[in-house]
Amino acid sequence: YKFDVVNGDDLWTEDFQRYTHLTKVEPTARALRELDPRAWITGRRRSQGGERGALPLVEADEGRYTVNPLVGWTSQQVWAYIHEHGVPYNSLHDKGYKSIGDRMNTRPVEEGESERAGRFMYSGDQNRTECGMHSHQARVEAFKAKPNQPKLPVVACDGCVEVTTDSFAEVVLKTSSDMLLEFYSPLCGHCQHFGPHFQEVVTKLAENRHVAAARFDMFSFKVPEVGVGAGFNIQGYPSIWLVRPTAAAAAGASSGAGLPRLLQYGGPKEAQPLLDWLSRELGA
């Protein structure tokens, strides 16, 4: 009741990002900050799809571990274990709710839909499969609140141009060659897992001098307004984009070349699928 009085009755429909920050991100960040656990455990599985498809067994974030013991289980294996061992479960599962969250943001799943298709109805992104509880922002807030901050994990990338807020317009928006750009964070477990795959892609691209490779650290920098206006709408990490210059920019025009064409990669976070996607796009 108090939450509705302060924030309104329909915050989840009016400002979903703020709603998830207040109800999930901030409480989780506060718990991590105050309890300072060495590790925490989730029930996430790769078989849930989406951003969880490449989920590792253990993630190292800001000096603590996130352990995903069910990472390799299927939904069928989970339910077999529940029935075999008499594990209590929410009766809504018997009514078609395969994934259960907030009442106002959860619906039964239709036949043929993915396991988590009934979640985040007001998020504005029907492909979203992660909630604020596991968001990057919670990790950043907890990390920065530590009195003695541990060293940031290193996600190396030999051959990558490191883009900053100040250099974004010049390096990215005025590029005269095709550019593969990754938005990442050293606190993101998915980014750490993807790091070697991206390095493999960058090494392959080094053989083709017409395609540059660059990265933008979302922990240390903020995408400038000119980047947002150009179409870089970053919702999660790692986020991979192919930046294609206009004909004028490719010809060396220093001004009036217009904005580059942006293509966002939506496939598996692995080297070969990314290389295959690049080959198709660059050959088009």
mmCIF file of all heavy atoms in Angstrom, residues 225-251:
data_model
loop_
_atom_site.group_PDB
_atom_site.id
_atom_site.type_symbol
_atom_site.label_atom_id
_atom_site.label_comp_id
_atom_site.label_asym_id
_atom_site.label_seq_id
_atom_site.Cartn_x
_atom_site.Cartn_y
_atom_site.Cartn_z
ATOM 1 N N GLU A 225 24.669 11.078 -25.533
ATOM 2 C CA GLU A 225 23.354 11.310 -26.129
ATOM 3 C C GLU A 225 23.396 11.171 -27.644
ATOM 4 O O GLU A 225 22.452 10.694 -28.261
ATOM 5 C CB GLU A 225 22.844 12.699 -25.737
ATOM 6 C CG GLU A 225 22.418 12.821 -24.285
ATOM 7 C CD GLU A 225 21.286 11.864 -23.940
ATOM 8 O OE1 GLU A 225 20.384 11.681 -24.779
ATOM 9 O OE2 GLU A 225 21.319 11.294 -22.838
ATOM 10 N N VAL A 226 24.506 11.594 -28.258
ATOM 11 C CA VAL A 226 24.611 11.483 -29.704
ATOM 12 C C VAL A 226 24.608 10.026 -30.140
ATOM 13 O O VAL A 226 24.101 9.681 -31.218
ATOM 14 C CB VAL A 226 25.881 12.208 -30.212
ATOM 15 C CG1 VAL A 226 27.145 11.513 -29.722
ATOM 16 C CG2 VAL A 226 25.879 12.319 -31.729
ATOM 17 N N GLY A 227 25.129 9.144 -29.308
ATOM 18 C CA GLY A 227 25.105 7.722 -29.602
ATOM 19 C C GLY A 227 23.717 7.137 -29.453
ATOM 20 O O GLY A 227 23.267 6.331 -30.270
ATOM 21 N N VAL A 228 23.017 7.550 -28.393
ATOM 22 C CA VAL A 228 21.639 7.101 -28.182
ATOM 23 C C VAL A 228 20.765 7.584 -29.338
ATOM 24 O O VAL A 228 19.942 6.837 -29.871
ATOM 25 C CB VAL A 228 21.100 7.618 -26.837
ATOM 26 C CG1 VAL A 228 19.630 7.231 -26.671
ATOM 27 C CG2 VAL A 228 21.934 7.067 -25.682
ATOM 28 N N GLY A 229 20.975 8.839 -29.720
ATOM 29 C CA GLY A 229 20.196 9.392 -30.817
ATOM 30 C C GLY A 229 20.454 8.702 -32.141
ATOM 31 O O GLY A 229 19.575 8.639 -33.002
ATOM 32 N N ALA A 230 21.658 8.147 -32.297
ATOM 33 C CA ALA A 230 22.000 7.448 -33.533
ATOM 34 C C ALA A 230 21.346 6.074 -33.617
ATOM 35 O O ALA A 230 21.277 5.476 -34.688
ATOM 36 C CB ALA A 230 23.519 7.313 -33.653
ATOM 37 N N GLY A 231 20.874 5.568 -32.451
ATOM 38 C CA GLY A 231 20.183 4.281 -32.463
ATOM 39 C C GLY A 231 20.759 3.221 -31.557
ATOM 40 O O GLY A 231 20.281 2.089 -31.549
ATOM 41 N N PHE A 232 21.778 3.553 -30.774
ATOM 42 C CA PHE A 232 22.347 2.570 -29.856
ATOM 43 C C PHE A 232 21.477 2.491 -28.602
ATOM 44 O O PHE A 232 21.623 3.271 -27.660
ATOM 45 C CB PHE A 232 23.787 2.940 -29.477
ATOM 46 C CG PHE A 232 24.782 2.700 -30.577
ATOM 47 C CD1 PHE A 232 25.281 3.757 -31.314
ATOM 48 C CD2 PHE A 232 25.209 1.410 -30.866
ATOM 49 C CE1 PHE A 232 26.203 3.538 -32.334
ATOM 50 C CE2 PHE A 232 26.131 1.174 -31.882
ATOM 51 C CZ PHE A 232 26.623 2.246 -32.611
ATOM 52 N N ASN A 233 20.568 1.539 -28.590
ATOM 53 C CA ASN A 233 19.662 1.322 -27.472
ATOM 54 C C ASN A 233 20.135 0.070 -26.731
ATOM 55 O O ASN A 233 19.780 -1.050 -27.082
ATOM 56 C CB ASN A 233 18.225 1.156 -27.962
ATOM 57 C CG ASN A 233 17.240 0.955 -26.832
ATOM 58 O OD1 ASN A 233 17.507 1.339 -25.691
ATOM 59 N ND2 ASN A 233 16.109 0.346 -27.129
ATOM 60 N N ILE A 234 20.955 0.251 -25.719
ATOM 61 C CA ILE A 234 21.597 -0.872 -25.036
ATOM 62 C C ILE A 234 20.744 -1.328 -23.866
ATOM 63 O O ILE A 234 20.552 -0.591 -22.896
ATOM 64 C CB ILE A 234 23.016 -0.483 -24.549
ATOM 65 C CG1 ILE A 234 23.790 0.213 -25.659
ATOM 66 C CG2 ILE A 234 23.747 -1.717 -24.045
ATOM 67 C CD1 ILE A 234 23.941 -0.608 -26.922
ATOM 68 N N GLN A 235 20.231 -2.556 -23.932
ATOM 69 C CA GLN A 235 19.371 -3.094 -22.888
ATOM 70 C C GLN A 235 20.057 -4.150 -22.035
ATOM 71 O O GLN A 235 19.574 -4.486 -20.946
ATOM 72 C CB GLN A 235 18.113 -3.698 -23.517
ATOM 73 C CG GLN A 235 17.277 -2.694 -24.282
ATOM 74 C CD GLN A 235 16.675 -1.630 -23.393
ATOM 75 O OE1 GLN A 235 16.313 -1.887 -22.253
ATOM 76 N NE2 GLN A 235 16.567 -0.421 -23.908
ATOM 77 N N GLY A 236 21.147 -4.697 -22.513
ATOM 78 C CA GLY A 236 21.844 -5.742 -21.760
ATOM 79 C C GLY A 236 23.242 -5.934 -22.309
ATOM 80 O O GLY A 236 23.610 -5.340 -23.332
ATOM 81 N N TYR A 237 24.012 -6.755 -21.616
ATOM 82 C CA TYR A 237 25.417 -6.963 -21.977
ATOM 83 C C TYR A 237 25.724 -8.457 -22.051
ATOM 84 O O TYR A 237 25.176 -9.231 -21.281
ATOM 85 C CB TYR A 237 26.346 -6.314 -20.944
ATOM 86 C CG TYR A 237 25.872 -4.971 -20.449
ATOM 87 C CD1 TYR A 237 25.384 -4.831 -19.152
ATOM 88 C CD2 TYR A 237 25.881 -3.871 -21.288
ATOM 89 C CE1 TYR A 237 24.935 -3.606 -18.708
ATOM 90 C CE2 TYR A 237 25.429 -2.643 -20.846
ATOM 91 C CZ TYR A 237 24.955 -2.518 -19.547
ATOM 92 O OH TYR A 237 24.507 -1.309 -19.113
ATOM 93 N N PRO A 238 26.641 -8.867 -22.931
ATOM 94 C CA PRO A 238 27.261 -8.058 -23.975
ATOM 95 C C PRO A 238 26.278 -7.760 -25.104
ATOM 96 O O PRO A 238 25.422 -8.570 -25.409
ATOM 97 C CB PRO A 238 28.409 -8.935 -24.470
ATOM 98 C CG PRO A 238 27.927 -10.337 -24.220
ATOM 99 C CD PRO A 238 27.114 -10.268 -22.956
ATOM 100 N N SER A 239 26.429 -6.588 -25.695
ATOM 101 C CA SER A 239 25.583 -6.166 -26.810
ATOM 102 C C SER A 239 26.501 -5.914 -28.005
ATOM 103 O O SER A 239 27.429 -5.112 -27.914
ATOM 104 C CB SER A 239 24.809 -4.898 -26.441
ATOM 105 O OG SER A 239 23.913 -4.526 -27.466
ATOM 106 N N ILE A 240 26.252 -6.614 -29.106
ATOM 107 C CA ILE A 240 27.156 -6.592 -30.262
ATOM 108 C C ILE A 240 26.496 -5.884 -31.441
ATOM 109 O O ILE A 240 25.351 -6.192 -31.793
ATOM 110 C CB ILE A 240 27.533 -8.032 -30.690
ATOM 111 C CG1 ILE A 240 27.874 -8.892 -29.470
ATOM 112 C CG2 ILE A 240 28.695 -8.002 -31.682
ATOM 113 C CD1 ILE A 240 29.021 -8.382 -28.653
ATOM 114 N N TRP A 241 27.234 -4.960 -32.057
ATOM 115 C CA TRP A 241 26.697 -4.170 -33.162
ATOM 116 C C TRP A 241 27.692 -4.129 -34.320
ATOM 117 O O TRP A 241 28.894 -4.085 -34.106
ATOM 118 C CB TRP A 241 26.420 -2.736 -32.722
ATOM 119 C CG TRP A 241 25.409 -2.617 -31.631
ATOM 120 C CD1 TRP A 241 25.576 -2.986 -30.311
ATOM 121 C CD2 TRP A 241 24.085 -2.094 -31.737
ATOM 122 N NE1 TRP A 241 24.435 -2.722 -29.604
ATOM 123 C CE2 TRP A 241 23.499 -2.176 -30.451
ATOM 124 C CE3 TRP A 241 23.357 -1.558 -32.794
ATOM 125 C CZ2 TRP A 241 22.208 -1.744 -30.199
ATOM 126 C CZ3 TRP A 241 22.056 -1.124 -32.544
ATOM 127 C CH2 TRP A 241 21.493 -1.214 -31.251
ATOM 128 N N LEU A 242 27.157 -4.129 -35.522
ATOM 129 C CA LEU A 242 27.954 -3.873 -36.720
ATOM 130 C C LEU A 242 27.628 -2.460 -37.180
ATOM 131 O O LEU A 242 26.468 -2.127 -37.439
ATOM 132 C CB LEU A 242 27.622 -4.877 -37.820
ATOM 133 C CG LEU A 242 28.344 -4.677 -39.161
ATOM 134 C CD1 LEU A 242 29.857 -4.764 -38.983
ATOM 135 C CD2 LEU A 242 27.863 -5.706 -40.191
ATOM 136 N N VAL A 243 28.657 -1.621 -37.227
ATOM 137 C CA VAL A 243 28.492 -0.233 -37.633
ATOM 138 C C VAL A 243 28.992 -0.101 -39.070
ATOM 139 O O VAL A 243 30.172 -0.338 -39.346
ATOM 140 C CB VAL A 243 29.289 0.715 -36.710
ATOM 141 C CG1 VAL A 243 29.039 2.168 -37.091
ATOM 142 C CG2 VAL A 243 28.922 0.472 -35.245
ATOM 143 N N ARG A 244 28.107 0.288 -39.985
ATOM 144 C CA ARG A 244 28.447 0.384 -41.395
ATOM 145 C C ARG A 244 28.413 1.843 -41.842
ATOM 146 O O ARG A 244 27.370 2.501 -41.762
ATOM 147 C CB ARG A 244 27.500 -0.456 -42.244
ATOM 148 C CG ARG A 244 27.374 -1.913 -41.754
ATOM 149 C CD ARG A 244 27.156 -2.852 -42.894
ATOM 150 N NE ARG A 244 28.327 -2.914 -43.767
ATOM 151 C CZ ARG A 244 28.388 -3.647 -44.883
ATOM 152 N NH1 ARG A 244 27.337 -4.369 -45.238
ATOM 153 N NH2 ARG A 244 29.481 -3.662 -45.621
ATOM 154 N N PRO A 245 29.546 2.377 -42.289
ATOM 155 C CA PRO A 245 29.603 3.793 -42.661
ATOM 156 C C PRO A 245 28.800 4.093 -43.923
ATOM 157 O O PRO A 245 28.547 3.208 -44.737
ATOM 158 C CB PRO A 245 31.093 4.024 -42.889
ATOM 159 C CG PRO A 245 31.610 2.687 -43.336
ATOM 160 C CD PRO A 245 30.819 1.686 -42.543
ATOM 161 N N THR A 246 28.421 5.339 -44.049
ATOM 162 C CA THR A 246 27.774 5.763 -45.288
ATOM 163 C C THR A 246 28.814 5.779 -46.403
ATOM 164 O O THR A 246 30.026 5.742 -46.149
ATOM 165 C CB THR A 246 27.189 7.180 -45.136
ATOM 166 O OG1 THR A 246 28.257 8.093 -44.860
ATOM 167 C CG2 THR A 246 26.183 7.230 -43.996
ATOM 168 N N ALA A 247 28.354 5.856 -47.620
ATOM 169 C CA ALA A 247 29.276 5.884 -48.759
ATOM 170 C C ALA A 247 30.194 7.096 -48.675
ATOM 171 O O ALA A 247 31.387 7.021 -48.999
ATOM 172 C CB ALA A 247 28.484 5.902 -50.067
ATOM 173 N N ALA A 248 29.649 8.211 -48.190
ATOM 174 C CA ALA A 248 30.451 9.424 -48.080
ATOM 175 C C ALA A 248 31.552 9.260 -47.044
ATOM 176 O O ALA A 248 32.701 9.661 -47.262
ATOM 177 C CB ALA A 248 29.563 10.609 -47.718
ATOM 178 N N ALA A 249 31.209 8.666 -45.905
ATOM 179 C CA ALA A 249 32.212 8.446 -44.860
ATOM 180 C C ALA A 249 33.270 7.464 -45.338
ATOM 181 O O ALA A 249 34.469 7.639 -45.079
ATOM 182 C CB ALA A 249 31.545 7.941 -43.585
ATOM 183 N N ALA A 250 32.847 6.424 -46.034
ATOM 184 C CA ALA A 250 33.794 5.431 -46.544
ATOM 185 C C ALA A 250 34.741 6.048 -47.567
ATOM 186 O O ALA A 250 35.887 5.608 -47.720
ATOM 187 C CB ALA A 250 33.033 4.262 -47.171
ATOM 188 N N ALA A 251 34.251 7.090 -48.246
ATOM 189 C CA ALA A 251 35.080 7.764 -49.253
ATOM 190 C C ALA A 251 36.009 8.797 -48.630
ATOM 191 O O ALA A 251 36.801 9.425 -49.332
ATOM 192 C CB ALA A 251 34.196 8.427 -50.296
#
